[in-house]
Amino acid sequence: MRRKTIVGNWKMNGTHESLDEARAIASVAREYPGVDVAICPPFTLITAMATACPSMTIGGQDCHGAASGAFTGSVSAEMLRDAGASLVILGHSERREALGETSAIVQYKAMAALSAGLDVILCVGESLAVREGGRATDHVTQQVLQSLPDMAGHGHARLIIAYEPIWAIGTGRTAGLGDIAEMHGAIRRALGDAGRDVAILYGGSVNGDNAGAIMALDDVDGALVGGASLTADKFAPIITAAA
Ligand code: PGA
């Protein structure tokens, strides 16, 4: 059985003042024990948020693929765990596009994260040019297959896929329900037998108004939410829709 999973990606937003908002989100989440709710704040808030919200899953937004070493400015998967995170978002399009992260790099990071015992949210998604060129499904399933870590021997760490069309992120545009259903089905087929248990989240301008219809689709197991995850007011209706 795949559980509904709602993950807030705070991106580069939030200081210690935002912990009250996180506490309010955690208290909404406690009302819906059937939904897995997580927040991925900036690195600087992980420990404080894990302490302030012990009932909620806290994640990072990236990690390095190496365990330690001379990588100025980077944070390893083990460090995320040590800070209080239990999952990590990897391969977000804002990193693939702006920082040149390839699927091979994402796969390397995913292996490190699983080895450290972190659940992994693997992000994939096509640009508008790729969608308009009719190559979205090919592009996204290739991204999945090339970024996918080898799950063997990684205990109970979970793999989650997040499909986020790049043109839908932060733009107020969401993909059509038919396109979302088709893409999630294609991703699940690409995963083969193992895909049965993998939660596939949709992301890109998800809000309280559109979340219900999107999550009612067959292969949509939840949402990865940016802007609407920053306040309990906006995030709560999405958690409710999942329940
Ligand atoms: P958005 O971001 O909900 O603000 O569109 C989603 C994401 O980038 O994960």
Side-chain angles (χ1 to χ4, degrees), residues 7-11 89 92-94 123 162 164-166 168-173 202-207 223-229 238:
V7 181
N9 173 11
W10 276 23
K11 307 191 180 183
I89 296 171
H92 192 283
S93 63
E94 284 155 14
C123 299
E164 300 197 299
I166 297 171
I169 295 177
T171 59
R173 296 178 62 187
Y202 173 79
S205 299
V206 173
N207 58 43
L224 179 56
V225 185
S229 71
I238 301 175

Side-chain angles (χ1 to χ4, degrees), residues 130-187:
V130 168
R131 166 134 317 252
E132 286 175 344
R135 291 177 288 112
T137 308
D138 266 4
H139 178 85
V140 168
T141 49
Q142 280 309 306
Q143 269 187 331
V144 169
L145 296 175
Q146 289 167 6
S147 312
L148 207 61
D150 176 3
M151 296 295 291
H154 286 300
H156 299 296
R158 275 200 311 161
L159 175 72
I160 296 168
I161 308 274
Y163 167 57
E164 300 197 299
I166 297 171
W167 47 273
I169 295 177
T171 59
R173 296 178 62 187
T174 48
L177 293 177
D179 289 337
I180 297 174
E182 190 183 318
M183 188 64 83
H184 280 235
I187 292 170

